[in-house]
C-alpha cells in the first residue's frame, strides 16, 4: 500500500512504522494519537487546562450507559469546541438522497430487480449532490433499518463539510479513489476497500482519481461489528488487525465554510468561518475505519454442499433480535470450489431477509451475464431467486474438479427489513426490464420416471 501523503493544509500525527503508514491497526480498539507532541492528556480525560490551549470534548457513539463491551466514545482535543462548528441552520434540498420511511404508493417494490451501472451525470457532482438512493428500509426515527445508495463523484468538497446524525455510512467503492478528511484523520479509499464513517463524525470528501462511483449502506441502527465466528474459532473471515483507523490530523484554516447535517432524513446547512477538522489529538474507540476486502479470509465447503451465505459475512449490525441482523455486509470474493457431488453455485431460495447485491468487479457465479461491475440487484423479502439457466446447466453438468473462482468480487447488503425502491431506482436508474427472463428458459425436467435428467 503506498505511503499516504499528508493533505495540503493538514497536519498529521507521526505515522506508525510499517506498511500502513498513517493508520493504526485494529477494530474497536482503544486508540490514541496526537498530531502535535504532548497534545493528548495522559491519565485523565478533562484536565483543567489542555496543552496548546485546546478544548476537550467527548463524542459519544453509544448511550453513556451502554454495556461496557458495546460502549464507544472518543475524547477529542481540538482548536475550537464543536459548538463553534455549527450555526443557525437552514434547510436545504438534496432530492436524490432519501431516508426511510419512504414508501411510494405508485412504486412496486415487490419484484426481483437488477440494474446496470448508473452512468455519471454531465453536471459535476460531489459526495452530497452525487448520492443516489436506491432503496430504503425500516425507519430512521426509531433508528432501525438502512438505505442503499450509489454515489457518483466528479468533484471534491471545497470548504464544505458534512455529518450524518442519522447513520453510520459503509462505503464500498467500485471505481475511482476518494479521500475522506475527517475530524479524526484521513482515509484514502479505492475499489476493493471499504470504510465506515461513524454517525456524527464531521468530514469532507475529496476526489483523488475520478470519476468515482460506488455503493453506500446507510445504517440507521446499531453499529456494524464483526460477526461471532462460533466453532470457526479465533481466526479467518475478517481479522481485526486488518482494519485501519487513521492517525490524528487537523486543519488550522480560517476560511468561510459550510457544514451540512443530515438529521431525521432532512438536510440542514450553516456557515462558519473556519475548518471544523481541528482535532489535534484524540483517544477512544469511536472512530472511522477502513478495511481491505482482499484480506478477507473466506471459509467454506471442503467436502460437499455449501453453508448458508452468512459464512461470508464481513460485518454485521445487530437488530436487537438475536442472530437477526439489521444489516449484514457479505462478501463474495475469489475462492476455491472443491465440493464433491454438489451443485456448487448458490441454490434457489426464498429468504425472510431482503438482499441487495452489488458487483465491484468481475463475474458472479450464479449470474454469468447481466450482473456487471457497478450494477446492482435486489431480491426482496420472501421473493424467490437463484441461478439463471446458464449457471444452472453449467453447474449441473460440470466436471467437479477443484476449480478456482477468479476475477470476482460482489457483495450483499442483507437486512431483516423489506427494501422499498426509490423513484430514482424505479424510473431513472438503468433498470433491466428483462431481468425476470433469466429464469424463463429453465425447463421442467420431471417426467415421473426416476434417474438423473
Ligand atoms: Fe439470496
Amino acid at each position: 500500500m503506498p505511503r499516504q501523503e499528508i493533505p495540503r493544509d493538514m497536519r498529521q500525527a507521526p505515522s506508525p512504522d510499517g506498511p500502513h503508514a498513517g493508520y493504526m491497526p485494529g477494530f474497536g480498539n482503544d486508540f490514541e494519537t496526537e498530531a502535535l507532541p504532548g497534545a493528548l492528556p495522559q491519565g485523565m480525560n478533562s484536565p483543567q487546562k489542555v496543552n496548546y490551549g485546546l478544548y476537550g470534548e467527548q463524542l459519544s457513539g453509544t448511550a453513556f450507559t451502554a454495556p461496557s463491551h458495546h460502549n464507544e466514545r472518543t475524547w477529542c482535543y481540538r482548536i475550537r469546541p464543536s459548538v463553534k462548528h455549527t450555526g443557525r441552520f437552514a434547510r436545504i434540498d438534496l432530492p436524490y438522497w432519501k431516508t426511510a420511511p419512504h414508501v411510494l404508493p405508485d412504486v412496486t417494490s415487490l419484484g426481483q430487480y437488477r440494474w446496470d451501472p448508473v452512468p455519471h451525470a454531465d453536471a459535476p457532482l460531489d459526495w452530497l449532490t452525487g448520492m443516489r438512493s436506491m432503496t430504503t428500509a425500516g425507519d430512521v426515527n426509531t433508528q432501525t433499518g438502512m438505505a442503499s445508495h450509489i454515489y457518483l463523484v466528479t468533484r471534491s468538497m471545497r470548504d464544505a463539510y458534512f455529518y450524518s446524525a442519522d447513520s453510520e455510512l459503509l462505503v464500498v467503492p467500485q471505481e475511482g479513489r476518494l479521500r475522506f478528511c475527517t475530524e479524526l484523520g484521513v482515509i484514502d479509499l479505492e475499489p476493493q476497500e471499504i470504510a465506515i464513517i461513524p454517525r456524527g463524525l464531521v468530514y469532507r470528501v475529496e476526489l483523488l482519481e475520478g470519476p468515482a462511483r460506488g455503493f453506500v449502506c446507510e445504517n440507521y441502527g446499531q453499529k456494524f461489528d464483526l460477526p461471532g465466528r462460533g466453532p470457526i474459532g479465533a481466526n479467518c473471515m475478517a481479522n481485526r488487525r486488518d482494519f485501519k483507523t487513521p492517525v490524528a490530523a487537523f486543519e488550522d484554516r480560517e476560511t468561510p465554510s459550510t457544514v451540512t447535517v443530515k438529521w431525521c432524513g432532512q438536510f440542514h446547512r450553516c456557515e462558519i468561518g473556519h475548518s471544523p477538522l481541528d482535532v489535534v489529538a484524540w483517544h477512544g474507540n469511536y472512530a472511522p475505519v477502513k478495511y481491505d476486502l482482499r484480506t478477507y479470509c473466506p471459509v467454506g465447503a471442503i467436502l460437499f454442499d455449501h453453508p448458508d451465505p452468512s459464512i461470508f459475512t464481513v460485518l454485521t449490525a445487530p437488530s436487537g433480535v438475536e442472530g437477526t441482523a439489521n444489516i449484514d455486509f457479505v462478501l463474495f470474493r475469489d475462492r476455491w470450489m472443491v465440493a464433491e457431488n454438489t451443485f456448487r453455485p448458490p441454490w434457489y431460495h426464498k429468504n425472510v431477509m431482503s438482499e441487495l447485491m452489488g458487483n465491484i468487479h468481475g463475474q458472479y457465479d450464479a449470474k454469468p451475464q447481466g450482473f456487471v461491475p457497478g450494477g446492482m440487484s435486489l431480491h426482496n423479502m420472501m421473493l424467490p431467486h437463484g441461478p439463471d439457466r446458464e449457471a444452472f446447466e453449467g453447474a449441473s453438468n460440470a466436471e467437479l474438479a477443484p476449480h478456482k473462482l477468479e476475477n470476482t468480487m460482489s457483495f450483499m447488503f442483507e437486512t431483516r427489513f423489506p427494501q422499498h425502491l426509490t423513484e430514482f431506482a424505479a424510473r431513472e436508474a438503468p433498470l433491466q426490464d428483462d431481468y425476470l427472463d433469466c429464469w424463463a428458459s429453465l425447463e421442467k425436467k420431471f417426467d415421473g420416471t426416476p434417474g438423473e435428467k
Side-chain angles (χ1 to χ4, degrees):
M1 186 164 296
R3 189 176 176 86
Q4 185 181 356
E5 285 177 32
I6 299 173
R8 186 174 54 88
D9 297 342
M10 203 161 209
R11 184 148 180 184
Q12 183 172 280
S15 298
D17 291 332
H20 294 281
Y23 300 99
M24 302 174 284
F27 185 90
N29 298 13
D30 210 41
F31 295 105
E32 64 171 39
T33 172
E34 58 185 15
L36 293 176
L40 191 68
Q42 294 296 320
M44 63 186 302
N45 294 324
S46 191
Q48 187 175 19
K49 285 179 182 286
V50 179
N51 204 2
Y52 294 99
L54 299 172
Y55 290 84
E57 178 174 306
Q58 183 176 229
L59 174 62
S60 291
T62 55
F64 296 147
T65 49
S68 56
H69 58 286
H70 289 308
N71 208 306
E72 296 195 15
R73 61 90 182 89
T74 284
W75 274 93
C76 303
Y77 301 93
R78 58 194 319 157
I79 297 171
R80 294 178 173 93
S82 289
V83 289
K84 297 288 287 181
H85 302 329
T86 58
R88 194 167 301 281
F89 285 107
R91 284 273 296 278
I92 64 161
D93 204 17
L94 290 172
Y96 283 101
W97 193 334
K98 301 296 186 191
T99 300
H102 184 70
V103 184
L104 303 172
D106 56 348
V107 167
T108 303
S109 296
L110 179 72
Q112 300 99 334
Y113 292 112
R114 193 165 67 188
W115 294 266
D116 285 324
V118 176
H120 288 280
D122 293 333
L125 296 172
D126 66 19
W127 180 250
L128 300 182
T129 56
M131 200 67 75
R132 299 283 179 271
S133 301
M134 298 293 288
T135 65
T136 69
D139 185 344
V140 75
N141 296 293
T142 55
Q143 299 188 341
T144 54
M146 49 87 70
S148 68
H149 315 285
I150 296 274
Y151 66 79
L152 306 168
V153 175
T154 50
R155 185 169 69 178
S156 295
M157 295 167 73
R158 296 258 180 245
D159 299 318
Y161 303 87
F162 172 71
Y163 72 90
S164 172
D166 287 345
S167 47
E168 67 176 349
L169 299 188
L170 170 64
V171 184
V172 185
Q174 187 263 321
E175 66 173 16
R177 292 171 59 235
L178 297 175
R179 167 169 289 165
F180 292 78
C181 297
T182 82
E183 287 178 288
L184 300 184
V186 179
I187 286 180
D188 286 352
L189 203 63
E190 63 183 29
Q192 305 195 60
E193 296 179 323
I194 58 170
I196 300 174
I197 309 297
R199 185 192 299 257
L201 190 75
V202 180
Y203 63 98
R204 70 159 186 276
V205 180
E206 295 181 354
L207 183 69
L208 292 182
E209 188 183 317
R213 178 174 54 205
F215 310 92
V216 170
C217 182
E218 186 178 2
N219 175 16
Y220 308 140
Q222 203 171 317
K223 287 165 47 50
F224 277 110
D225 199 353
L226 297 182
R229 295 191 188 86
I232 293 170
N235 303 290
C236 297
M237 304 171 70
N239 289 301
R240 286 180 186 270
R241 71 178 287 243
D242 296 322
F243 288 79
K244 306 291 173 192
T245 285
V247 295
F250 72 96
E251 298 172 336
D252 181 10
R253 195 157 70 220
E254 307 291 318
T255 313
S257 305
T258 63
V259 177
T260 301
V261 182
K262 181 177 192 284
W263 199 90
C264 290
Q266 296 171 341
F267 293 88
H268 309 75
R269 182 165 290 169
C270 66
E271 296 183 356
I272 59 175
H274 48 266
S275 168
L277 306 184
D278 64 354
V279 177
V280 178
W282 60 268
H283 79 85
N285 59 353
Y286 189 66
V289 65
K290 72 182 250 180
Y291 174 71
D292 188 335
L293 295 169
R294 290 161 289 202
T295 65
Y296 183 84
C297 177
V299 172
I302 53 171
L303 191 58
F304 64 89
D305 281 353
H306 61 78
D308 288 316
S310 48
I311 195 75
F312 298 138
T313 302
V314 182
L315 294 160
T316 187
S319 74
V321 175
E322 190 178 358
T324 304
N326 184 38
I327 309 161
D328 279 333
F329 174 65
V330 182
L331 180 71
F332 305 99
R333 66 164 299 178
D334 48 320
R335 60 197 184 274
W336 280 92
M337 308 292 266
V338 299
E340 298 173 349
N341 186 29
T342 291
F343 182 76
R344 288 177 175 176
W347 6 249
Y348 296 99
H349 72 134
K350 223 161 74 164
N351 190 352
V352 67
M353 310 280 279
S354 63
E355 307 176 7
L356 184 127
M357 288 191 64
N359 188 334
I360 298 168
H361 82 86
Q363 192 181 60
Y364 180 63
D365 57 320
K367 300 279 166 46
Q369 307 292 329
F371 181 50
V372 300
M376 302 179 91
S377 68
L378 174 65
H379 301 118
N380 227 327
M381 179 181 69
M382 282 302 177
L383 282 173
H385 53 281
D388 60 23
R389 182 168 191 267
E390 183 187 348
F392 178 82
E393 295 297 339
S396 300
N397 296 299
E399 176 120 12
L400 292 183
H403 167 66
K404 190 171 184 190
L405 290 178
E406 292 185 283
N407 187 32
T408 184
M409 185 175 276
S410 296
F411 69 89
M412 180 161 66
F413 300 149
E414 185 178 35
T415 172
R416 61 173 296 195
F417 299 104
Q419 297 190 41
H420 296 275
L421 266 56
T422 61
E423 184 98 28
F424 176 79
R427 308 222 161 91
E428 282 189 56
L431 190 61
Q432 297 176 4
D433 291 329
D434 60 351
Y435 175 46
L436 272 180
D437 297 343
C438 78
W439 298 294
S441 58
L442 285 166
E443 297 167 321
K444 174 183 175 184
K445 299 172 186 286
F446 177 81
D447 62 6
T449 63
E452 292 182 359
K453 307 292 177 185

